[in-house]
């Protein structure tokens, strides 16, 4: 699940870009949700409780310089920033901060928006090696997402299969795992999610991993799953 946040005090423009983002993402086929915020304070409150993957941010929000605010509050986080403005002359303001893309509102086309989203998703995919903390009983494990081969679920538990042959079983749902996981994870079966970075090949009806593990793909979902995998490869 990718969280996309729009931070703009122009509510009409926020509605327009939300609609365009949905149209662009329909072609990329990944799970997402869009949250609209109208102030930097509202964005900050959201980020305290939730992960933010892609942020579309106006350079000026309620007369506050969002670039300077971002340097202090976002630049150290794994967030793909896409700045927007109605004034091209403001472009120099973003030179001091790492950002993913820059859009001119008055010249915004769906093609440009699609390129911005594709680049952001690609960057997120490359950062699949981020760490996460997984609690199993009274013990917590620090796990690198890139070390996870696949995740299996049964009886309200998930088992995380690691490339060093360790398995970690926790009380959780596969959906809750995928909500926090980077986009390199694909749910290919009701009981399995695979890390696409570890797939060596596929055939009817399974993925073959570098580890030798074979992950089943239901016959009815096979074409859709393989299409999602191909789209991920195209962005990688």
């Amino acid at each position: 699940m990718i969280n996309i946040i729009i931070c703009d005090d122009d509510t009409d423009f926020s509605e327009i870009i939300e609609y365009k983002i949905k149209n662009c993402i329909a072609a990329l086929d990944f799970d997402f949700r869009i949250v609209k915020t109208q102030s930097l304070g509202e964005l900050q409150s959201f980020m305290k409780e939730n992960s933010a993957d892609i942020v579309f941010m106006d350079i000026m929000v309620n007369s506050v310089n969002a670039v300077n605010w971002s340097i202090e509050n976002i630049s150290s986080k794994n967030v793909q920033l896409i700045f927007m403005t109605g004034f091209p002359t403001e472009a120099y303001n973003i030179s001091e901060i790492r950002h993913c893309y820059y859009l001119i509102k008055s010249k915004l086309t769906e093609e440009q928006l699609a390129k911005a989203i594709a680049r952001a998703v690609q960057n997120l995919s490359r950062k699949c090696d981020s760490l996460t903390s997984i609690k199993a009983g009274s013990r917590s494990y620090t796990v690198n997402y890139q070390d996870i081969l696949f995740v299996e679920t049964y009886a309200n538990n998930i088992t995380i299969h690691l490339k060093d042959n360790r398995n970690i079983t926790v009380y959780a749902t596969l959906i809750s795992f995928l909500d926090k996981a980077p986009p390199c994870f694909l749910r290919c079966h009701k009981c399995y999610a695979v890390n696409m970075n570890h797939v060596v090949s596929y055939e009817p009806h399974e993925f073959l991993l570098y580890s030798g593990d074979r992950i089943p793909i239901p016959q009815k979902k096979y074409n859709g799953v393989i299409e999602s995998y191909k789209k991920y490869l195209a962005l990688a």
Side-chain angles (χ1 to χ4, degrees):
M1 174 74 72
I2 293 180
N3 283 331
I4 300 174
I5 297 89
I6 300 169
C7 185
D8 197 311
D9 53 12
D10 185 337
T11 56
D12 290 337
F13 180 79
S14 292
E15 294 289 339
I16 292 171
I17 196 168
E18 179 184 24
Y19 174 78
K20 290 185 176 182
I21 289 171
K22 288 179 178 178
N23 286 343
C24 293
I25 291 178
L28 296 176
D29 189 25
F30 58 80
D31 292 331
F32 71 97
R33 69 166 171 167
I34 297 177
V35 176
K36 297 192 294 294
T37 60
Q38 298 179 31
S39 70
L40 297 173
E42 190 177 347
L43 172 60
Q44 188 171 38
S45 295
F46 175 85
M47 292 179 62
K48 285 182 179 179
E49 303 294 333
N50 305 271
S51 63
D53 300 304
I54 303 173
V55 176
F56 287 83
M57 180 182 290
D58 196 0
I59 283 183
M60 296 295 293
V61 181
N62 295 311
S63 300
V64 178
N65 188 314
V67 176
N68 293 340
W69 182 90
S70 300
I71 292 173
E72 297 180 1
N73 296 278
I74 294 183
S75 61
S76 62
K77 301 180 184 296
N78 182 18
V79 178
Q80 299 304 306
L81 269 174
I82 299 174
F83 282 111
M84 308 177 295
T85 184
F87 305 99
T89 54
E90 293 181 347
Y92 72 91
N93 287 329
I94 66 173
S95 61
E96 296 182 10
I97 185 171
R98 172 191 56 80
H99 62 285
C100 173
Y101 217 89
Y102 176 68
L103 297 170
I104 305 296
K105 290 183 176 181
S106 59
K107 299 180 180 180
L108 179 61
T109 64
E110 289 201 4
E111 181 180 4
Q112 289 176 319
L113 188 58
K115 287 182 179 179
I117 294 172
R119 181 180 296 178
V121 173
Q122 183 181 44
N123 290 345
L124 289 170
S125 299
R126 288 172 177 169
K127 293 181 179 180
C128 184
D129 59 349
S130 56
L131 301 178
T132 186
S133 179
I134 297 172
K135 189 172 184 179
S138 59
R139 186 174 182 179
S140 293
Y141 298 85
T142 299
V143 175
N144 190 317
Y145 277 118
Q146 184 56 34
D147 291 338
I148 300 175
L149 298 171
F150 65 96
V151 182
E152 182 180 4
T153 182
Y154 58 92
N156 295 322
N157 289 284
I158 61 170
T159 296
I160 298 169
H161 297 263
L162 300 168
K163 64 182 184 181
D164 63 1
N165 294 319
R166 288 185 301 144
N167 296 330
I168 301 174
T169 299
V170 298
Y171 181 77
T173 64
L174 188 54
I175 291 176
S176 66
F177 172 85
L178 292 174
D179 279 344
K180 299 178 181 179
C184 52
F185 286 88
L186 172 65
R187 187 167 191 173
C188 57
H189 185 284
K190 68 177 182 180
C191 296
Y192 293 91
V194 64
N195 184 341
M196 292 183 283
N197 291 335
H198 290 292
V199 172
V200 65
S201 65
Y202 59 87
E203 60 185 38
H205 292 97
E206 63 184 11
F207 280 123
L208 175 63
L209 307 188
Y210 285 102
S211 60
D213 293 290
R214 294 180 180 271
I215 310 301
I217 307 172
Q219 183 175 355
K220 291 183 178 179
K221 295 184 177 181
Y222 181 77
N223 289 338
V225 167
I226 297 305
E227 185 64 25
S228 295
Y229 174 63
K230 289 180 177 178
K231 287 178 179 177
Y232 174 79
L233 290 182
L235 293 172

